[in-house]
């Protein structure tokens, strides 16, 4: 029972971090870099994919758009989230 309030707090913190740190890093239309896909994107995709498995995460619009533009590389597990 204790894990649920802790997890909820961590999910809220994650949303704040995305707004202040990840969103400003999205410099390209579909990538972290203005010039296109790079190693930064390759390293970020697995983390975003893992986070889709957690129910209750709200993605900022810019992050959701980034994820939507990378559907070939990024599987969305949100329908199976727990």
């Amino acid at each position: 029972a204790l894990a649920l309030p802790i997890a909820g707090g961590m999910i809220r913190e994650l949303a704040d971090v995305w707004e202040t740190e990840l969103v400003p890093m999205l410099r390209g239309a579909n990538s972290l870099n203005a010039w296109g896909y790079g190693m930064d994107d390759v390293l970020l995709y697995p983390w975003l994919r893992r986070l889709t498995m957690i129910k209750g995460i709200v993605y900022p619009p810019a992050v959701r758009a980034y994820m939507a533009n990378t559907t070939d590389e990024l599987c969305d597990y949100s329908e199976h989230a727990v």
Side-chain angles (χ1 to χ4, degrees), residues 1-3 6-7 10 18 24-25 28 31-32 46-48 53 56 62 66 68 70-71 78 82:
L2 179 60
I6 292 172
M10 293 174 81
W18 278 349
M25 291 173 57
S31 63
L32 289 173
W47 287 102
L48 291 175
M53 296 181 220
Y66 173 73
T70 58
T71 54
S78 56
V82 290

Side-chain angles (χ1 to χ4, degrees), residues 32-58:
L32 289 173
N33 302 299
W35 47 265
Y37 290 113
M39 193 64 181
D40 299 331
D41 299 295
V42 171
L43 295 172
L44 182 59
Y45 293 153
W47 287 102
L48 291 175
R49 184 188 66 219
R50 287 181 199 116
L51 291 172
T52 64
M53 296 181 220
I54 302 171
K55 190 178 288 190
I57 291 183
V58 177

Side-chain angles (χ1 to χ4, degrees), residues 59-70:
Y59 301 90
V63 174
R64 178 55 71 188
Y66 173 73
M67 292 169 67
N69 287 324
T70 58

